[in-house]
């Protein structure tokens, strides 16, 4: 398929790179492509970033039939632009889509389209340390229809946003509240899909945590409210004794690409990484016995987010005495060094763009 390109007539001024937050500024161009049962995916185009005009009955707005991804483009010291594991993102996009009855996109074509868009927008990839261009591929159901069924038409789009740190705390330990009243997802649901409803379902618990002075929520499983699943919108890891433990993927946990990178990288360092069920009681017990060394979240946006405090009911535990643990630190630096081209890409994760 040939991608049609329409350039913006005027370009926006670039932002002050020292003041970048997360997800508020968008570049000059975006990618769009449509789906219908008759034509399949068609009309791929790069055009100026613009608001959509849609019927108020558009199905995405009513029933949340949509999926999205998050990945980043990085600028290396030599000025080259590169992506981190983008094929894994498009593969996961299709896995999410299959759970939401959305037709698959051609993953190779989607990556080609993204690279073309990035080549046009390369001046938008920031230069400052720990900044990047966040990429948001998204698919939404577009039938104007109020009955509940899968849509017959869809829009796939990619927008770009220059970003700095995700959390205002930056790479510093955050305070986490264990949610007893709310769960994020349940087995048999769509917890492992990157779909808007999972994020909507997390908001009330997140607000309650904020009201109590906590940054994020630790999610327990939806069946027993005993086993740990995720933290905020990230996967979670525990360092107990010399083992790194992360909840095994069970259908209600998002299969994070940073999660997988942590597991594979730590194993190449000779560390023992175990994917298994881990209960909140086990974590509290490990803290009491002095074997709980570190807790950290992993995700595309923040990469590694150390946890400094955990509150479960009336129990409050402090981890690492306010500083970042050595394993969190090593992983954060190692992953970033690969992403920014400062370290050798031994695991084949880098995709050059331009
Ligand atoms: C991530 O950690 O990359 C996320 O999933 C957060 C994103 C939804 C902003």
């Amino acid at each position: 398929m040939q991608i049609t390109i329409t350039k913006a007539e005027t370009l926006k001024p670039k932002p002050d790179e020292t003041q970048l937050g997360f997800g508020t500024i968008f570049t000059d161009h975006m990618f769009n492509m449509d789906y219908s049962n008759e034509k399949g995916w068609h009309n791929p185009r790069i055009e100026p970033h613009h608001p959509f005009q849609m019927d108020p009955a558009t199905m995405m707005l009513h029933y949340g039939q949509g999926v999205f991804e998050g990945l980043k483009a990085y600028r290396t010291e030599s000025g080259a632009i590169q992506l981190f594991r983008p094929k894994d993102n498009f593969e996961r996009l299709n896995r999410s889509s299959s759970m939401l009855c959305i037709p698959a996109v051609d993953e190779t074509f989607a990556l080609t389209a993204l690279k073309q868009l990035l080549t046009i927008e390369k001046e938008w990839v920031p230069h400052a340390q720990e900044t990047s261009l966040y990429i948001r591929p998204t698919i939404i159901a577009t039938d104007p229809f109020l009955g509940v069924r899968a849509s017959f038409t869809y829009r796939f789009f990619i927008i770009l946003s220059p970003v700095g740190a995700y959390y205002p705390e930056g790479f510093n330990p955050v305070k986490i509240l264990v949610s007893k009243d709310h769960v994020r997802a349940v087995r048999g649901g769509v917890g492992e899909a990157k779909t808007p409803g999972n994020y909507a379902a997390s908001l009330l618990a997140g607000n309650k945590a904020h009201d109590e002075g906590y940054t994020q929520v630790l999610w327990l499983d939806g069946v027993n409210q005993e086993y740990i699943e995720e933290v905020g919108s990230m996967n979670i890891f525990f360092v107990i004794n010399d083992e790194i433990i992360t909840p095994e993927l069970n259908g209600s946990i998002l299969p994070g690409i940073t999660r997988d990178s942590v597991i594979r990288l730590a194993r190449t360092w000779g560390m023992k990484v175990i994917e298994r069920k881990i209960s909140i009681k086990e974590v509290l017990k490990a803290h009491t016995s002095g074997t709980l060394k570190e807790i950290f979240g992993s995700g595309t946006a923040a990469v590694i987010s150390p946890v400094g405090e955990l509150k479960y009911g009336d129990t409050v535990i402090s981890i690492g005495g306010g500083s970042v643990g050595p394993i969190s630190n090593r992983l954060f630096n190692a992953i970033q060094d690969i992403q920014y081209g400062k370290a050798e890409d031994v695991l084949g994760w880098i995709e050059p763009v331009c």
Side-chain angles (χ1 to χ4, degrees), residues 307-321:
V307 175
E309 185 180 310
L310 209 60
K311 181 168 192 260
Y312 179 64
D314 294 330
T315 310
V316 179
I317 64 167
S318 155
I319 308 109

Side-chain angles (χ1 to χ4, degrees), residues 6-12 23-32 45-53 117 120-121 124 133-134 136 138 155 157-162:
T6 309
K7 291 269 184 80
E9 277 172 18
T10 51
L11 301 183
K12 300 174 204 169
T24 55
I25 299 162
F26 301 98
T27 69
D28 294 304
H29 298 90
M30 67 186 297
F31 173 79
N32 282 300
R45 56 205 186 272
I46 290 171
E47 50 196 347
H49 181 106
H50 63 279
F52 290 151
Q53 200 169 37
L117 177 64
I120 291 171
E121 299 292 66
W124 279 95
L133 189 65
Y134 187 76
R136 174 54 62 86
T138 307
R155 165 75 51 88
F157 62 88
I158 306 176
I159 52 174
L160 308 174
S161 173

Side-chain angles (χ1 to χ4, degrees), residues 22 68 134 136 166 194 199 233-234 299-302:
F22 188 89
F68 69 93
Y134 187 76
R136 174 54 62 86
Y166 184 69
K194 212 161 170 66
Y199 295 80
S233 59
M234 291 184 290
T300 297

